[in-house]
Amino acid sequence: EFSADYYDDGYYNIVNIDFSELVIHEMINKHSEKRPLMKWDIGDMTNMNYNNETYDVVLDKGALDALMSINSSETIEKANQMFQEIDRVLNKNGIYICISLAE
């Protein structure tokens, strides 16, 4: 619920992305009334549909963990694609924050 906490603290320009349509619909239903400016998109973190240099911050809460759950050359390539996309959508002075439970 990081997004909701940030929104409640006054950060309203928040876009959440998840590959699961079900998750996105659940979050829209849960948050749309109280947090009407928060946006929820179905998407792929390795191929995002956002313009270059759009965001000040990308907050990754478990996406890298999910992606790297299997150690293979394919997952390493997907992780590299994700990092390239993060770099592309962050503005020049943007920050990537990764919250991981990986050991």
Side-chain angles (χ1 to χ4, degrees), residues 1-36:
E1 296 294 325
F2 283 109
S3 296
D5 291 340
Y6 282 112
Y7 190 98
D8 294 344
D9 286 342
Y11 298 94
Y12 302 119
N13 189 17
I14 297 174
V15 178
N16 301 279
I17 181 175
D18 198 289
F19 68 92
S20 170
E21 186 174 346
L22 177 63
V23 168
I24 293 297
H25 288 297
E26 286 177 0
M27 294 297 102
I28 289 169
N29 289 335
K30 181 175 181 178
H31 296 287
S32 63
E33 188 174 314
K34 186 174 179 185
R35 299 172 184 94

Side-chain angles (χ1 to χ4, degrees), residues 8-101:
D8 294 344
D9 286 342
Y11 298 94
Y12 302 119
N13 189 17
I14 297 174
V15 178
N16 301 279
I17 181 175
D18 198 289
F19 68 92
S20 170
E21 186 174 346
L22 177 63
V23 168
I24 293 297
H25 288 297
E26 286 177 0
M27 294 297 102
I28 289 169
N29 289 335
K30 181 175 181 178
H31 296 287
S32 63
E33 188 174 314
K34 186 174 179 185
R35 299 172 184 94
L37 300 176
M38 190 181 291
K39 186 174 178 186
W40 298 88
D41 290 339
I42 301 165
D44 178 353
M45 63 194 166
T46 66
N47 186 22
M48 293 185 259
N49 292 321
Y50 306 118
N51 293 331
N52 296 348
E53 299 183 8
T54 300
Y55 298 103
D56 297 324
V57 176
V58 170
L59 175 61
D60 169 358
K61 187 178 71 78
L64 185 60
D65 290 349
L67 190 63
M68 296 299 293
S69 61
I70 299 172
N71 188 8
S72 71
S73 59
E74 182 182 341
T75 57
I76 292 169
E77 177 58 30
K78 289 276 190 189
N80 285 330
Q81 290 172 349
M82 182 185 87
F83 288 128
Q84 288 172 358
E85 280 295 277
I86 291 168
D87 188 52
R88 183 184 66 76
V89 301
L90 279 173
N91 69 33
K92 185 177 180 178
N93 296 313
I95 298 170
Y96 169 63
I97 301 169
C98 182
I99 299 171
S100 173
L101 300 176

